[in-house]
Amino acid sequence: MKKYILVAIICLVVGPVSAQFRESQNVWRQLLWDDEKLNMLFDTRIDFQDVVNRHTDDERLFRGQTIRLWLVGEVVPGIRYRLRQRLNKEGTILRDNYSGATEYAWIAFDIGSEWTITVGKQGIMIGTFENDYNGADVYQGTMVFNDLDASKTGINFAYKPGRQILNLQITNSDSPQFASEEFSKKALAAHFMWVGDLFDEFIRTRWGYSVFQHTRHKVYQWITLGTQINVKQFTSEIDYYNGVRNMDYGYMVDRDDLGNRYVHDQSLSVHCEYNFGKWRPFIKGTWDKRYDKWSESTAYRSLGIEAVAEYYPFSRERIRDLRFYAAYAYKNTDYQGMFGDLQNGEKHTFIIGTRWLFKAK
């Protein structure tokens, strides 16, 4: 009798476990072979750069600008995920329990046709089209784009009435740029962004407003406006950033003891591109201004211009995004106020390279 009872118990225990194991195998098999459920992509950009500086050392080198691994898919209709891991960056574990090399790790849930909720580490909803680009696709960015801590853990609510998307996002705000040291473990940020589509994509918008907690009673505010105009194969983008934060910009003024200072930053960029098919040339101009609120004077202004020619030689689906490019970028920095004794900085950058976001599975 005891033997029968023991056999029955084993069947009751092993049966469900075996079924779960088979189910896990089935899910893994679907993830491995079903492209809707799992896509593995490698994101690469390799340059040869020749940098000529007016007052500092020149540089000449081959450089791996980007090496990333993406996992992207839709497990069931309406539930999507994305993981983007940088492979050439230190993986220090941050306060949110994600590695600093993990740029995205989120799950999105569609609720009906008009609502999407995204949870996890994600790009913060800062406006402008420049900020929406994959960083590997930007050759010379604005000052704000280059040093904005733009990937945080939180939750985003997206409401999609017609062709518009209205976003409300709440994220951590522990970056030294925004949160004071004593408040960094409690600081949050709120982001509002309108992703607009007007006149059948003739005008598209990425207009944003962000509020970052600095202390319990003080916040830092940002306005970010991006407007895109599309006329057949021609695209023009105008982006503007305006806000305050704490920055150690000693590397810009050759000061090791500058430390974090309270600054008002503005950046403007104008990007114009024409799509000839395999050839896609564009020009981009940038303007930056940093006002040091502690010294109550402008620290510096900079003007930049770049010309880029991108060539897409292939038409097959797997390799059609592989491109080669040549770029020339120039930036002039005019030091003012407490740094007015510094000579203007000039930087010429010549780049040739290859870029590919390709599907490995």
Side-chain angles (χ1 to χ4, degrees):
M1 184 66 179
K2 291 181 178 179
K3 292 181 179 179
Y4 292 120
I5 294 174
L6 181 59
V7 170
I9 292 173
I10 292 173
C11 289
L12 288 172
V13 173
V14 175
V17 171
S18 177
Q20 290 176 8
F21 179 72
R22 287 196 301 271
E23 181 63 23
S24 297
Q25 282 187 315
N26 290 337
V27 170
W28 173 246
R29 191 175 294 112
Q30 290 178 23
L31 287 175
L32 189 62
W33 298 110
D34 189 336
D35 282 352
E36 291 185 0
K37 291 181 170 55
L38 174 65
N39 288 276
M40 182 183 297
L41 303 98
F42 281 104
D43 189 356
T44 67
R45 173 180 157 189
I46 303 170
D47 290 349
F48 175 75
Q49 295 192 5
D50 189 352
V51 183
V52 180
N53 292 288
R54 181 177 180 181
H55 302 296
T56 59
D57 292 338
D58 298 339
E59 296 180 61
R60 188 172 296 112
L61 75 165
F62 289 95
R63 183 180 180 88
Q65 292 285 355
T66 297
I67 307 174
R68 294 189 183 105
L69 172 67
W70 297 55
L71 299 178
V72 182
E74 185 173 38
V75 179
V76 297
I79 301 181
R80 300 177 303 283
Y81 66 91
R82 177 169 298 182
L83 170 68
R84 191 169 91 182
Q85 186 78 11
R86 187 150 191 165
L87 304 180
N88 57 340
K89 182 178 181 180
E90 292 184 3
T92 305
I93 301 299
L94 304 177
R95 186 173 72 91
D96 60 8
N97 211 31
Y98 285 111
S99 164
T102 303
E103 297 177 332
Y104 296 154
W106 54 252
I107 301 174
F109 304 89
D110 291 335
I111 302 175
S113 61
E114 294 186 338
W115 287 91
T116 297
I117 298 176
T118 304
V119 183
K121 192 167 187 181
Q122 53 198 282
I124 61 175
M125 289 292 167
I126 290 286
T128 75
F129 284 88
E130 181 188 53
N131 190 65
D132 192 46
Y133 279 91
N134 185 323
D137 295 324
V138 177
Y139 303 98
Q140 178 165 272
T142 61
M143 173 181 64
V144 175
F145 174 85
N146 287 336
D147 53 28
L148 185 68
D149 189 1
S151 179
K152 289 295 180 184
T153 301
I155 184 169
N156 182 65
F157 302 91
Y159 173 56
K160 295 169 278 188
R163 302 172 72 96
Q164 318 305 313
I165 305 176
L166 304 176
N167 295 276
L168 168 60
Q169 184 185 55
I170 309 297
T171 66
N172 290 336
S173 181
D174 48 3
S175 167
Q177 294 184 14
F178 301 113
S180 65
E181 184 176 354
E182 62 274 13
F183 198 69
S184 61
K185 293 183 179 180
K186 296 176 283 187
L188 297 174
H191 313 279
F192 309 88
M193 187 166 70
W194 169 41
V195 179
D197 179 350
L198 305 174
F199 313 113
D200 196 21
E201 295 191 351
F202 172 64
I203 297 177
R204 298 174 63 213
T205 67
R206 293 184 63 85
W207 293 4
Y209 172 70
S210 297
V211 179
F212 299 86
Q213 283 186 294
H214 178 63
T215 63
R216 184 178 301 277
H217 303 293
K218 184 177 182 180
V219 298
Y220 287 171
Q221 301 180 66
W222 279 76
I223 295 174
T224 49
L225 305 173
T227 303
Q228 182 186 84
I229 299 174
N230 298 286
V231 181
K232 296 183 179 180
Q233 280 72 44
F234 175 79
T235 298
S236 177
E237 296 167 354
I238 303 174
D239 293 325
Y240 176 65
Y241 307 80
N242 187 327
V244 295
R245 55 180 172 169
N246 295 323
M247 288 296 297
D248 182 352
Y249 57 94
Y251 70 97
M252 285 291 300
V253 294
D254 198 23
R255 287 275 300 272
D256 295 332
D257 60 343
L258 193 65
N260 263 4
R261 299 179 68 86
Y262 185 34
V263 300
H264 176 193
D265 281 347
Q266 296 182 75
S267 287
L268 174 71
S269 72
V270 179
H271 174 117
C272 297
E273 178 177 339
Y274 195 91
N275 185 346
F276 288 98
K278 291 189 175 184
W279 286 96
R280 302 179 192 178
F282 67 85
I283 59 172
K284 178 180 178 181
T286 60
W287 171 86
D288 304 300
K289 176 183 177 183
R290 172 159 286 161
Y291 182 85
D292 191 308
K293 295 178 75 71
W294 285 2
S295 66
E296 297 185 342
S297 64
T298 299
Y300 52 82
R301 291 185 174 91
S302 65
L303 289 172
I305 185 72
E306 68 173 344
V308 180
E310 296 180 332
Y311 178 54
Y312 296 76
F314 305 109
S315 57
R316 291 178 58 187
E317 182 177 358
R318 293 254 177 181
I319 56 175
R320 65 185 178 189
D321 291 328
L322 172 62
R323 69 176 180 262
F324 302 93
Y325 51 83
Y328 165 73
Y330 169 78
K331 179 163 284 190
N332 179 282
T333 303
D334 178 18
Y335 298 101
Q336 301 177 5
M338 61 187 293
F339 309 110
D341 58 331
L342 297 177
Q343 290 185 307
N344 283 11
E346 289 189 356
K347 181 180 178 181
H348 303 263
T349 304
F350 303 87
I351 306 173
I352 58 173
T354 181
R355 168 89 173 94
W356 194 10
L357 176 60
F358 65 94
K359 188 176 184 304
K361 200 253 31 125

